[in-house]
Amino acid sequence: MIKEFKTFIARGNVLDLAVAVIIGAAFGRIVSSLTDDIIMPVIGRITGGLDFSGYYVLLGSVPAKYTGSLSDYAALKRAGVPLLGYGAFVTQAVNFLIVAFIIFLVVRAVNRFMPKAEAPVATEPADVTLLREIRDDLRGRSR
């Protein structure tokens, strides 16, 4: 079983997949930073200081020992208060749209630079070619 596992790991496509996952994780952090640090503050500025990540609906009671602010989503979440964090969802949806658009642009660019695969030339089977030659030869004799 270990030998089979080593063979599996040594295949090129598994290593390519591992590299893709690592690069994808790094790319995800870059996109998260782009969304959290650049795009969402601009949207917040345009909308008058709104911060989507802090929008939530309180679904349960706040513990009596909680001393933080009732408007601090992160602190309420850490305290175990049941919350419906739709603002965090909006932020993640924007992250997804950015990633999807960038992947679309990358795939589109790669497709433009990749040579187009030529259609294979249809070759007829050898027996058809032989029969065609025999036919042509017989036609030539009958004239």
Side-chain angles (χ1 to χ4, degrees):
M1 187 162 118
I2 293 176
K3 182 179 177 184
E4 191 176 358
F5 180 69
K6 285 180 182 179
T7 304
F8 172 74
I9 291 297
R11 290 192 341 210
N13 55 357
V14 173
L15 296 175
D16 292 343
L17 180 61
V19 169
V21 167
I22 292 168
I23 290 173
F27 183 71
R29 286 192 297 269
I30 290 169
V31 170
S32 292
S33 176
L34 174 69
T35 304
D36 296 339
D37 301 329
I38 295 173
I39 294 175
M40 294 311 271
V42 170
I43 290 174
R45 177 74 176 187
I46 291 170
T47 59
L50 296 176
D51 179 17
F52 290 107
S53 63
Y55 281 25
Y56 64 91
V57 173
L58 197 60
L59 296 177
S61 61
V62 178
K65 62 183 178 184
Y66 178 73
T67 58
S69 170
L70 291 178
S71 63
D72 188 358
Y73 174 74
L76 287 168
K77 193 171 182 178
R78 279 192 305 273
V81 177
L83 303 168
L84 179 70
Y86 65 90
F89 176 77
V90 168
T91 302
Q92 293 304 317
V94 170
N95 276 345
F96 171 77
L97 290 174
I98 291 169
V99 169
F101 184 69
I102 291 173
I103 290 173
F104 165 75
L105 291 177
V106 168
V107 169
R108 187 173 160 204
V110 167
N111 285 339
R112 285 188 179 174
F113 290 114
M114 295 295 291
K116 301 243 189 281
E118 295 182 23
V121 178
T123 59
E124 59 185 26
D127 57 344
V128 173
T129 304
L130 182 60
L131 289 172
R132 193 174 312 256
E133 290 173 2
I134 293 170
R135 181 199 65 195
D136 293 344
D137 190 40
L138 290 173
R139 280 188 186 160
R141 287 186 188 175
S142 63
R143 293 184 183 170

